[in-house]
Structure formats: structure tokens, C-alpha cells
Amino acid sequence: MPYSAPVTPPPSVSLGEATRLWAKVASLSFGGPAGQIAVMHRLLVEEKKWISEERFLHALNYCMLLPGPEAQQLAVYTGWLLNGTVGGLIAGTLFVLPGIAAILGLSILYVELRDATLVAALFFGLKPAVLAVVAEAVVRIGKRALKDRFRISLAALAFIAIFFFGVPFPAIVVAAGIAGYFAYRAGVLAPPSQPDAAEGDDRVADQAALRTVRPSLGRSLRVLSVHLILWWGPVLAFALWLGRDHVLVEEGLFFGKMAVVTFGGAYAVLAYVAQQAVEVQGWLRPGEMLDGLGMAETTPGPLIMVLQFVGFLGAYRNPEPFSPLTAALLGSLLTTWVTFVPCFLWIFLGAPYIESLRGRASLTAALSGVTAAVVGVILNLAVWFSLHTLFARVDGKVPEWSTLDPAILLLTVAAMIALFRFKAGMGWTLLGSALLGALVSLLRG
């Protein structure tokens, strides 16, 4: 039976109300993509009920296929769904602003004080709470997405493939989509159910209140033209002003190209960036990439924000004709610009087409396979984050058990009890863990 929208759609979400929510998402976006997806799922789907589970996962599936930070792109996508292009711009921009400010401030402290320990002291208690939030997200999303043995098997296989064998994420997604399609055609996978308007508020996102844009060639060309000018315009301006060989132009070109190939999240490209930045360009010294990664892991925003730190140091050490801090500021902002502008392009260009395909049974079946695989990938991110949070040293996938930090373990258990047993709010859990962590850090001296 085809789905039909209700005669009287619910009131749309105002831009002001959405902006306040995106500011809250930005302030809580710790812990990499798994934690950030967990934050958005809890606020958008569970608490506000602005986006349905099906619509949220549909958007997430598309974002996981794109180069760049999937969580930030998911914010742009859902912001666009709720309030059009302006909503997408606000959601995506607010998502990265706290991280930009934090990384910039810590980068200045880093070059002035030459000591990154301040970062660990400030954020010691946050990682355990983020770990609890990520665990809760895996459980909650898994319960909704893995509705039968077939999808549970896909999630398990995806986790095994990426965690133990390092299979590239795009290959996992393509394989899961194909498996979902043929499983549906063979009758192994149940026909995808269409949302029912009578189900209530949790289907708000499938009603007529959401923004819809009809995809067309003309619109696509306009979106592409505007974003290409915005993306590469500053790099061209610096090239005309300072010359092709200036460090700002080199950084703009390098990180602009990285924005196109960063499939599978930040960790998929960091090894290459570190090698190029240290050994080829000389922008960083050995070990400094890990200091930058520590900043990105313990501040809000995507982990790919570590590139901002690389751009900062590269320009700081090659400042002419500017002062070192002025050059570093320009390098930091230019790197951030060329990294995140394409994220808006992928969404504004592709989302209308993705939305127009919703409701097709075979495609929905394929995407349900992708959703199952995504649960496995999120579990992989959660396990990776857990290992590097609880243990001081991890050899590949195996932790050195002697480096287990009992204080972090206890904080993690406390945060999980707060979330799972007492249903504490995410903000209070993060705040409480941060305060306890600061106390432990002070007692340790």
C-alpha cells in the first residue's frame, strides 16, 4: 500500500529553533564520527523527533559514501532537509566552528609554549564520557537497523572486514548494497516497509513539512559552479598575490586535493598526510602529527580538523612576507576552508537526487544492506576509540594491558551507568566526567 502524506502536515521547524539545536550539537560533538553521529541521532531522532529513523539512516548511508567527514556532511544534509540551503549552511558551519576555534587556540599555545600536555589536562575526563555516548549509539542504532539475521550478519561481516583485515570502507559499502539488493530479490530480505503517517511524531521527517527540492541539470550546474568558485577562489587569489610556490598556495592545493580522496574518515588519509607533511614538505617535525591528532581527538568537531594544525605549523615555519603568527593564522584558515567547502558541495549537489530515490523498494533494500554495514563500521570506530582511550599504548589492534589506565576505566564505567542505568542527559554526563577527570588530573599532579 503506497504511503501518502497526511492532509495536515505538522508545523515545520523554524530556522531559529534549528540553529539553537545545531549550536548544541556543535558543543557536544566530541569523539570522532561515531560520537558525533550519536549526538545527532539522540537529539534529532530521539529527543526532538524532527527526523525519523528511516530518514536519518537514509541520509547517513549517502554521507558514508562521500569523501570527507561524514558526520559534518550528515549535519549539512539534515539541516538542508529541515530548512533548505540556509539550514544546511548553518548546520554545517556551526558543526565545525567550535573545533576551528579550539584547534587554533591550542595551536598558538603549542608554538608558544612548546608543550602539548595542557591539551591532555584540559580534556582528560571527556574521552571516557564520549566512549559511553558512542557505546550507547551503537546499541540504539543497532537495535533499529539490524532487524533480522541477514542484516546482523552483514554488520558482523563489515566489522570483521574493516577491523581485522583493513578492507577499504567504499568496498564494504558497495558489497553490502549489492548483498541487500540481491537478498531482497531472492526473498531473503523482507520487503522494505514504507513509513506510515499514523505512526505518530516519530515520522515527522517523512511528512510534507520537510523541504524538498526537485533535482535538475540546471540546478546542478549552478550549485557546482558556485561551489567550485568558492572552493578554489582563495587559493587562486593567494597564487596571484604571493606566487605559485608560496606555502599558502602549496597548502591550499594539497589539502584541496585531500578533500576529494578522504574516503572512510580521517584515519584513512592521515598516514599519507603525515608522510607528505613531514618528509616531503617539511611542514611538521616527526611526532608533531600525533600531537595534532591528540588536539583533534579531544576537541569538538571532526577528527580531520588535525589538518588545520598541519596548515598552521606549515605556514608558521615559512611565514614570509608575514609574521609567523599571521602566516599561521592564514594557513590554518585556508586549510580549513578548502577541506570543508566541498562537503557542502557533495550534499547540495547530490542530496536532491538521493531524496528523489526514496521509496523505491529495490534501492531501499540495497540501502538497508548499507545501513547494516554502517553499524559494523560505527562499531569499528567505537572499538578503535575505546582501545586508544583506555590504553596508553596499542600495537596495531592489540592493546598493551599493562598500560590500562584505571582512572579512565572507572570514569568510563561511571559514564555508562549514568547513560544506560539512570538515563542521564548527554550534556550532564560530559560535564560530570570532565569535572571528575580534572579532579583526577590535579590529584595525579
Side-chain angles (χ1 to χ4, degrees):
M1 180 177 178
Y3 163 68
S4 58
V7 176
T8 305
S12 60
V13 178
S14 70
L15 186 60
E17 192 176 7
T19 300
R20 288 189 291 273
L21 179 120
W22 292 120
K24 183 176 182 180
V25 168
S27 67
L28 298 174
S29 59
F30 295 90
Q36 293 149 7
I37 291 168
V39 169
M40 284 186 280
H41 183 271
R42 181 158 183 169
L43 294 178
L44 288 169
V45 179
E46 295 288 330
E47 295 184 8
K48 294 293 186 180
K49 303 187 187 303
W50 289 349
I51 301 290
S52 73
E53 188 76 34
E54 183 267 343
R55 197 68 164 263
F56 184 87
L57 293 176
H58 184 83
L60 177 59
N61 290 337
Y62 173 61
C63 295
M64 292 293 255
L65 294 172
L66 299 173
E70 58 268 32
Q72 193 258 356
Q73 290 163 345
L74 181 61
V76 178
Y77 196 131
T78 48
W80 171 77
L81 279 176
L82 294 170
N83 300 104
T85 300
V86 174
L89 288 171
I90 290 174
T93 302
L94 285 178
F95 190 86
V96 297
L97 274 182
I100 292 173
I103 294 292
L104 184 58
L106 292 172
S107 298
I108 293 172
L109 289 175
Y110 186 85
V111 297
E112 294 296 326
L113 302 178
R114 300 304 307 150
D115 187 1
T117 57
L118 178 62
V119 180
L122 288 173
F123 298 101
F124 178 81
L126 279 177
K127 280 189 176 182
V130 171
L131 182 53
V133 170
V134 169
E136 188 194 32
V138 172
V139 172
R140 186 188 299 116
I141 295 175
K143 284 181 179 179
R144 287 167 169 78
L146 308 180
K147 299 179 179 178
D148 51 49
R149 292 181 178 178
F150 176 78
R151 278 176 274 205
I152 293 173
S153 299
L154 275 183
L157 289 173
F159 172 77
I160 292 170
I162 196 170
F163 186 80
F164 291 104
F165 298 103
V167 177
F169 177 72
I172 293 175
V173 168
V174 171
I178 294 173
Y181 173 81
F182 283 106
Y184 167 68
R185 302 291 294 181
V188 176
L189 187 62
S193 60
Q194 295 293 341
D196 184 356
E199 289 185 32
D201 290 341
D202 64 339
R203 293 298 180 181
V204 166
D206 298 303
Q207 300 174 17
L210 274 176
R211 182 68 57 100
T212 56
V213 176
R214 185 180 298 277
S216 67
L217 178 61
R219 179 190 178 278
S220 298
L221 290 176
R222 289 193 300 273
V223 169
L224 184 62
S225 300
V226 169
H227 282 79
L228 286 177
I229 293 171
L230 291 172
W231 188 3
W232 293 108
V235 180
L236 178 60
F238 277 119
L240 294 174
W241 178 21
L242 302 170
R244 168 64 179 79
D245 295 330
H246 194 274
V247 64
L248 293 177
V249 180
E250 292 287 348
E251 288 182 344
L253 291 172
F254 178 74
F255 292 114
K257 289 184 289 186
M258 285 299 97
V260 182
V261 298
T262 52
F263 292 94
Y267 296 112
V269 77
L270 287 184
Y272 175 75
V273 170
Q275 181 185 31
Q276 292 294 308
V278 174
E279 299 177 10
V280 179
Q281 301 291 350
W283 294 337
L284 281 82
R285 300 189 181 107
E288 289 181 334
M289 190 72 179
L290 290 177
D291 292 336
L293 184 59
M295 293 182 190
E297 286 180 329
T298 50
T299 53
L303 292 179
I304 202 69
M305 295 300 303
V306 66
L307 300 186
Q308 180 187 355
F309 175 73
V310 177
F312 181 97
L313 280 187
Y316 183 86
R317 294 193 171 120
N318 302 274
E320 294 80 9
F322 309 103
S323 69
L325 278 180
T326 299
L329 176 62
L330 292 173
S332 174
L333 295 179
L334 181 64
T335 298
T336 304
W337 180 267
V338 298
T339 298
F340 287 102
V341 167
C343 296
F344 294 92
L345 169 61
W346 313 141
I347 300 303
F348 293 148
L349 184 64
Y353 292 96
I354 298 301
E355 286 298 305
S356 69
L357 296 174
R358 290 178 67 249
R360 299 189 181 184
S362 58
L363 177 66
T364 304
L367 288 178
S368 71
V370 174
T371 299
V374 165
V375 174
V377 172
I378 295 175
L379 177 59
N380 166 70
L381 292 170
V383 172
W384 190 98
F385 186 68
S386 301
L387 291 175
H388 288 79
T389 297
L390 297 173
F391 298 91
R393 287 193 296 274
V394 180
D395 183 13
K397 309 293 184 185
V398 181
E400 293 187 21
W401 289 95
S402 61
T403 65
L404 175 66
D405 191 322
I408 292 181
L409 178 61
L410 288 174
L411 286 172
T412 302
V413 172
M416 286 188 173
I417 291 173
L419 284 174
F420 284 94
R421 176 66 178 86
F422 296 104
K423 310 298 181 184
M426 193 161 32
W428 287 112
T429 302
L430 288 169
L431 177 61
S433 184
L435 293 175
L436 287 174
L439 179 61
V440 171
S441 184
L442 288 173
L443 291 175
R444 283 181 168 182

